[in-house]
């Protein structure tokens, strides 16, 4: 936006000088946006700190998120063992893991901050919006380098724009991010670390998620994506863990799907969730273990 001088005519066309018309309104809006941005920067570390304080719940949660591969003793090395692994786990633990009363830590703190966090007005507003956020898979739809990216939710296809200057330089269209998207006013940010996957994974991750929803519906017939992720968003991380680290490998992706089918005891007969337009040649049922 070109800078408007205080004494220039206001761009709204009122004929008044900018300073007597929209300048105070614009400045107030910018200040509110800055306060929310600051609240994002200060609230997230407080939540991670509170998560680290819940030491008695961490061991079970950590095993669940990492599918039994790591134990709580390894939490301090997880950032080396997996790309930003400790960060990804603690964010999931705060936003997704049900504590003893069935609510997540963020849901508990949104209802009552107690003495675990001290929230200013903006932080108290944000945490209420964040209580419903869960780990989700997104495909990069468009990139404005150095500014922002647009992400398409891989499950419900909704779009959201994310202000992340660093991510906008690293990601390409078609790639996948498994992460928490946190609103702050009318913009969104990436909460903590994102698992960043190659563009060949999006279809398989969708298929993988559909298998989990299908299996989940055996016990919860009315379940939708939100219900599934409230119950077991950690499976998205299990998919990430199964991927090759160095380079894309289509065999690995096929194996993940075959093994998921087998472990969930799904026959390959879908409940109509899998798009039939996308030709999906029926693989034989043998698992590739
Ligand atoms: Zn004006």
């Amino acid at each position: 936006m070109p800078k408007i001088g205080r004494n220039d005519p206001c761009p709204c066309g009122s004929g008044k000088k900018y300073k007597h018309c929209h300048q105070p309104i614009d400045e107030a809006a910018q200040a509110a946006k800055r306060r929310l941005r600051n609240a994002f920067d200060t609230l997230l570390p407080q939540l991670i700190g509170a998560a680290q304080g819940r030491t008695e719940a961490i061991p079970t949660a950590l095993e669940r998120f990492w599918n039994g591969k790591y134990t709580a003793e390894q939490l301090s090395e997880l950032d080396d063992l997996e790309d930003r692994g400790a960060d990804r786990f603690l964010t999931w633990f705060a936003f997704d893991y049900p504590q003893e009363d069935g609510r997540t830590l963020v849901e508990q703190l949104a209802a009552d901050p107690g003495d675990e966090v001290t929230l200013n007005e903006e932080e108290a507003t944000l945490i209420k919006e964040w209580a419903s956020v869960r780990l989700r898979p997104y495909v990069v739809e468009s990139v404005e380098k150095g500014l922002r990216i647009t992400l398409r939710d891989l499950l419900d296809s909704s779009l959201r724009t994310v202000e992340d200057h660093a991510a906008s330089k690293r990601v390409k269209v078609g790639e996948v991010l498994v992460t928490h998207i946190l609103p702050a006013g009318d913009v969104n940010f990436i909460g903590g670390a994102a698992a960043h996957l190659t563009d060949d994974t999006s279809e398989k991750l969708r298929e993988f998620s559909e298998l989990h929803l299908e299996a989940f519906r055996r016990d919860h017939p009315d379940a939708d994506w939100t219900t599934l992720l409230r119950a077991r968003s950690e499976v998205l991380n299990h998919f990430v863990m199964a991927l090759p680290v160095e380079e894309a490998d289509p065999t690995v992706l096929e194996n993940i799907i075959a093994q998921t089918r087998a472990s969930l005891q799904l026959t390959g007969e879908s409940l109509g969730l899998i798009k039939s337009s996308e030709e999906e040649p029926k693989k034989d049922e043998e698992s590739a273990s």
Side-chain angles (χ1 to χ4, degrees):
M1 264 186 296
K3 187 141 173 58
I4 310 160
R6 287 170 47 76
N7 290 308
D8 291 344
C10 187
C12 77
S14 65
K16 293 190 219 167
K17 288 181 178 180
Y18 183 50
K19 68 180 175 188
H20 293 311
C21 190
H22 270 78
Q23 186 179 29
I25 300 167
D26 290 350
E27 282 176 354
Q30 274 164 17
K33 205 171 160 177
R34 264 198 308 276
R35 281 198 302 274
L36 277 173
R37 168 78 233 209
N38 290 341
F40 172 88
D41 286 338
T42 51
L43 178 56
L44 193 57
Q46 287 201 72
L47 296 178
I48 298 303
Q52 285 168 317
R54 296 286 180 100
T55 47
E56 71 293 343
I58 285 179
T60 312
L62 193 134
E63 286 207 27
R64 184 163 148 183
F65 186 69
W66 295 108
N67 212 6
K69 188 175 176 187
Y70 304 113
T71 61
E73 290 74 57
Q74 290 167 291
L75 183 55
S76 57
E77 324 155 40
L78 263 178
D79 276 335
D80 298 324
L81 296 167
E82 301 277 346
D83 185 31
R84 296 187 68 188
D87 196 355
R88 278 161 51 206
F89 163 69
L90 287 167
T91 312
W92 176 83
F93 179 66
F95 282 85
D96 299 56
Y97 182 72
Q99 302 284 325
E100 267 182 1
D101 65 359
R103 294 181 301 168
T104 66
L105 175 60
V106 175
E107 285 171 338
Q108 290 177 344
L109 298 177
D112 174 17
D115 50 13
E116 284 175 281
V117 289
T118 311
L119 306 179
N120 65 30
E121 199 184 319
E122 284 80 19
E123 291 165 343
T125 306
L126 275 193
I127 196 171
K128 293 200 164 59
E129 289 183 49
W130 290 6
S132 61
V133 173
R134 296 293 182 277
L135 187 67
R136 282 184 89 107
Y138 300 92
V139 184
V140 180
E141 190 83 3
S142 65
V143 178
E144 286 175 74
K145 230 181 173 116
L147 291 174
R148 60 185 69 86
I149 51 182
T150 304
L151 298 176
R152 177 167 49 81
D153 189 305
L154 192 54
L155 306 179
D156 68 15
S157 298
S158 63
L159 293 174
R160 55 204 77 194
T161 303
V162 174
E163 308 278 330
D164 192 312
H165 303 188
S168 72
K169 291 176 190 162
R170 286 197 311 268
V171 303
K172 297 194 187 67
V173 170
E175 290 178 341
V176 172
L177 298 178
V178 178
T179 192
H180 295 83
I181 302 296
L182 301 177
D186 52 2
V187 295
N188 296 296
F189 300 106
I190 292 177
H196 179 190
L197 314 180
T198 48
D199 61 3
D200 59 329
T201 58
S202 65
E203 263 180 53
K204 291 300 171 198
L205 179 50
R206 167 83 199 186
E207 196 180 335
F208 173 88
S209 306
E210 283 169 347
L211 293 175
H212 278 282
L213 181 57
E214 190 181 332
F216 191 68
R217 279 181 173 168
R218 289 188 296 222
D219 295 327
H220 310 84
D222 298 328
D224 58 12
W225 290 121
T226 302
T227 346
L228 173 71
L229 293 183
R230 277 177 186 277
R232 48 185 73 151
S233 61
E234 70 273 11
V235 297
L236 297 171
N237 192 55
H238 301 169
F239 180 89
V240 173
M241 290 171 70
L243 296 173
V245 175
E246 293 303 326
E247 51 195 65
D249 182 345
T251 330
V252 172
L253 285 167
E254 290 300 337
N255 288 350
I256 294 172
I257 297 300
Q259 281 167 1
T260 303
R261 261 189 216 293
S263 68
L264 295 174
Q265 300 182 314
L266 293 169
T267 58
E269 296 298 321
S270 87
L271 296 172
L273 290 164
I274 296 166
K275 288 174 298 241
S276 51
S277 57
E278 226 65 65
E279 86 297 333
E280 178 63 31
K282 277 277 184 295
K283 301 278 181 304
D284 26 355
E285 295 319 327
E286 88 227 64
S287 108
S289 54

